[in-house]
C-alpha cells in the first residue's frame, strides 16, 4: 500500500485500503490525522480523499455504525466512489455499506 515517508513512521502509512479514489485508514495513527492524510494523498496519486474509521463495525450485518471522518482531501457527502475490480466498475457509498478491497478474490470466486 504505502512507501515510507521521512516525516512519519513507515507503519503509520501502511494501514489503509483504497476504494476507488478514497483511502480508508484502518487504525488511528499516533501522528496528527491531517499530517497522515496529506502524506497518503502525496504518495498515492489515485487517492483524492482520505478518511478514517471512527468506530468498529456494528451489528451482525457489518453496517457502519458512524460515517467515516474525512481527514484529507475534499469532503464528500455521501462518501461515494467508483471502484474497479477485475474489470467491473462498482459505485460504492462508504457511508451506507461495508466494503473491503481485501475481499476482491472472494467476490470473484462467488461470481464464477
Amino acid at each position: 500500500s504505502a512507501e515510507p515517508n521521512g516525516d512519519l513512521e513507515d507503519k503509520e502509512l501502511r494501514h489503509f485500503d483504497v476504494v476507488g479514489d478514497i483511502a480508508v485508514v484502518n487504525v488511528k495513527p499516533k501522528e496528527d490525522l491531517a499530517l497522515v492524510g496529506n502524506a497518503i494523498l502525496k504518495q498515492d496519486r489515485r487517492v483524492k480523499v482520505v478518511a478514517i474509521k471512527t468506530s468498529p463495525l456494528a451489528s451482525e450485518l457489518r453496517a457502519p455504525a458512524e460515517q467515516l471522518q474525512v481527514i484529507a482531501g475534499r469532503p464528500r457527502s455521501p462518501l461515494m466512489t467508483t471502484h474497479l475490480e477485475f474489470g467491473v466498475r462498482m459505485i460504492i457509498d462508504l457511508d451506507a455499506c461495508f466494503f473491503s478491497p481485501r475481499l476482491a478474490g472472494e467476490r470473484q470466486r462467488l461470481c464464477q
Side-chain angles (χ1 to χ4, degrees):
S1 297
E3 293 294 323
N5 182 314
D7 298 67
L8 301 172
E9 289 184 39
D10 185 30
K11 64 182 180 177
E12 293 288 303
L13 295 178
R14 290 188 183 212
H15 297 286
F16 68 91
D17 293 323
V18 177
V19 180
D21 64 350
I22 301 171
V24 179
V25 179
N26 297 313
V27 297
K28 183 159 182 160
K30 295 175 190 168
E31 303 289 336
D32 177 51
L33 294 178
L35 182 67
V36 171
N38 288 322
I40 292 171
L41 286 174
K42 281 184 183 177
Q43 80 179 19
D44 196 330
R45 293 196 184 277
R46 64 189 167 159
V47 173
K48 304 291 183 231
V49 176
V50 180
I52 188 167
K53 293 179 182 180
T54 56
S55 66
L57 294 172
S59 84
E60 59 192 44
L61 297 176
R62 296 179 63 86
E66 296 180 26
Q67 292 182 342
L68 297 169
Q69 177 188 349
V70 174
I71 60 172
R74 189 176 195 158
R76 300 179 194 163
S77 184
L79 196 56
M80 295 182 77
T81 188
T82 302
H83 183 73
L84 179 64
E85 191 173 273
F86 298 110
V88 177
R89 288 188 194 280
M90 299 171 257
I91 297 173
I92 299 167
D93 181 352
L94 293 174
D95 286 336
C97 71
F98 169 77
F99 184 87
S100 173
R102 297 175 192 196
L103 297 174
E106 183 66 12
R107 282 187 289 275
Q108 184 186 36
R109 184 186 69 79
L110 289 171
C111 291
Q112 291 177 339

